[in-house]
Amino acid sequence: QLIILLSLQAVINAASAPAWASLIGDMMSQEQRGHITAAINTSAAIGSILATLLSGLFLNLSSSSKTFTELKIVLMISALLGIIASITTLKIKSKDAGLYNRFSITEALFQMRRQKDFMLFTTLTFFFSYFQSIPWPLFAITQVKILNITMLQVAYMTIINSVFALIFRPIVGKMVDRVGRKTLIVVGRTGIFIVPLTYIVATDVSQLYVMNALLGVMMVFSEIAVFAYLLDITPQSLRSSYIAVYNATLAVATFLGSLSGGFIAEFISQSFLKGNLIESINIMYLISSLGRFLFGLSFISIKERYDKKTTFVKELNEFLSYVERKAGEIELEEKSEYEEII
């Protein structure tokens, strides 16, 4: 029953995602897409963190041995809040419905094939996502068999990743609206090549903590810039259909990548390395890292459809100068307080 319910939930989420993206896209101008997307995602992240903490606290306080009844209470509350949140979206005003009834599904698919920006971006995303997902089933093996990581340490890695993403999401959102989407997509997607490389060289969990901090920032670059770019290159009347096709392509790529990653690692181990699974996993990490880097760079070939106000280098220099000034102010304040104490 649980599997059926989870499958049903996945279907509903998959169906609602394109519609939600289209609705959000209708509500903001091209110049606002970065920072508004960042604000929405930040709110969602904060809500997710609070929900996780509250549910964990409830389960810890309820009893020493958790029963299925207590777990059902958490799941029922989660479902109820999800229904309430869904109902509230009915109050959001959308564009005239007549605007979205001009094309059939056949016409929509035909137009997609003629939309070169969308086809190129989706094709590159497919290959990038394939190489990105190759090591996903292998990370756990390295964590357990080589680094002996505990569940608590895995939780710490997730928290570090989430915190850094939370901190940088508003900054990146504003940056997307100033420097454009293309450069940040390239930076974000190319940058995650460090993940599988880190798993090759890591000798203890502290190195994974640092990697997850960097990963949180890189993923935010991709998360916001990709969504803004999709809104830029998709026609308003067919946006849901375009994003549905993009999401389906992404799902197929990650499924094939994860599946082949595990099978190929096992095949290399048994056929060429006399059962040495760890070495074959490292080979898959190298393949994934190279694929992530090369196909991340390939996004240089997409066309920027946003009139950027400045360059990424200038914006980065301004941000670093701001951080330096703030650090100097804090240092002066601390020095002043210290002198008063003396």
Side-chain angles (χ1 to χ4, degrees):
Q1 291 177 337
L2 183 59
I3 293 175
I4 294 173
L5 288 174
L6 290 174
S7 300
L8 181 61
Q9 183 187 37
V11 171
I12 293 173
N13 288 339
S16 62
W20 173 254
S22 181
L23 178 63
I24 294 300
D26 290 345
M27 294 172 60
M28 52 190 176
S29 65
Q30 190 179 29
E31 294 77 17
Q32 298 175 317
R33 285 171 179 167
H35 70 269
I36 291 181
T37 300
I40 293 172
N41 292 355
T42 298
S43 299
I46 293 173
S48 178
I49 292 171
L50 290 175
T52 302
L53 291 173
L54 290 174
S55 60
L57 183 63
F58 170 77
L59 291 173
N60 282 330
L61 294 177
S62 57
S63 67
S64 57
S65 58
K66 308 300 175 292
T67 65
F68 188 62
T69 301
E70 292 162 344
L71 294 175
K72 282 198 296 185
I73 292 173
V74 174
L75 292 173
M76 289 173 64
I77 293 173
S78 174
L80 179 62
L81 292 175
I83 292 171
I84 293 172
S86 299
I87 292 174
T88 59
T89 60
L90 296 175
K91 294 184 178 181
I92 300 176
K93 294 183 180 179
S94 61
K95 299 289 184 181
D96 181 12
L99 181 65
Y100 302 96
N101 296 326
R102 298 176 185 173
F103 300 95
S104 65
I105 295 177
T106 306
E107 262 187 292
L109 293 173
F110 178 73
Q111 286 208 17
M112 284 182 207
R113 293 178 60 186
R114 297 175 60 185
Q115 226 282 17
K116 293 182 179 179
D117 288 342
F118 178 78
M119 291 303 297
L120 174 62
F121 186 72
T122 304
T123 301
L124 294 178
T125 296
F126 176 87
F127 289 107
F128 172 81
S129 299
Y130 173 80
F131 283 100
Q132 180 188 11
S133 58
I134 282 176
W136 286 356
L138 309 176
F139 287 147
I141 298 175
T142 302
Q143 291 172 359
V144 174
K145 289 193 172 184
I146 296 180
L147 301 175
N148 298 314
I149 293 176
T150 65
M151 289 300 295
L152 183 60
Q153 290 171 326
V154 172
Y156 288 156
M157 288 193 293
T158 303
I159 291 170
I160 290 170
N161 183 286
S162 300
V163 168
F164 272 81
L166 201 62
I167 292 171
F168 279 89
R169 195 172 274 119
I171 299 169
V172 174
K174 293 178 181 178
M175 195 177 289
V176 167
D177 289 334
R178 288 180 55 79
V179 307
R181 326 328 187 177
K182 176 178 173 178
T183 303
L184 299 184
I185 291 173
V186 173
V187 171
R189 293 200 157 176
T190 304
I192 65 170
F193 84 98
I194 64 170
V195 177
L197 283 184
T198 303
Y199 272 89
I200 294 176
V201 302
T203 55
D204 61 72
V205 71
S206 62
Q207 293 155 333
L208 297 188
Y209 291 157
V210 175
M211 180 271 292
N212 271 279
L214 294 174
L215 177 61
V217 179
M218 292 297 106
M219 293 303 291
V220 165
F221 277 115
S222 294
E223 166 194 305
I224 300 174
V226 165
F227 184 68
Y229 187 74
L230 281 172
L231 295 181
D232 290 343
I233 63 174
T234 53
Q236 183 180 342
S237 58
L238 290 173
R239 186 165 286 148
S240 293
S241 299
Y242 275 68
I243 293 178
V245 169
Y246 175 84
N247 288 346
T249 303
L250 186 64
V252 171
T254 53
F255 170 76
L256 293 176
S258 299
L259 189 66
S260 62
F263 276 114
I264 295 173
E266 185 66 32
F267 174 76
I268 293 175
S269 171
Q270 298 299 326
S271 302
F272 303 104
L273 299 175
K274 299 180 180 179
N276 190 335
L277 183 60
I278 302 302
E279 286 300 321
S280 65
I281 287 176
N282 286 340
I283 291 173
M284 298 309 297
Y285 286 158
L286 283 173
I287 292 172
S288 172
S289 184
L290 182 62
R292 291 178 181 209
F293 185 79
L294 293 178
F295 281 101
L297 283 179
S298 72
F299 284 92
I300 292 175
S301 62
I302 66 175
K303 292 183 179 179
E304 179 68 77
R305 295 301 181 186
Y306 177 74
D307 294 329
K308 55 187 180 181
K309 301 174 177 63
T310 183
T311 65
F312 176 71
V313 175
K314 289 181 180 178
E315 190 73 6
L316 185 60
N317 286 333
E318 287 182 14
F319 174 71
L320 293 176
S321 297
Y322 171 79
V323 171
E324 187 177 354
R325 287 197 306 272
K326 284 296 180 181
E329 290 175 5
I330 293 172
E331 186 177 351
L332 286 174
E333 289 178 5
E334 291 179 347
K335 185 178 179 181
S336 176
E337 291 176 359
Y338 177 72
E339 289 175 347
E340 287 178 5
I341 293 172
I342 294 175

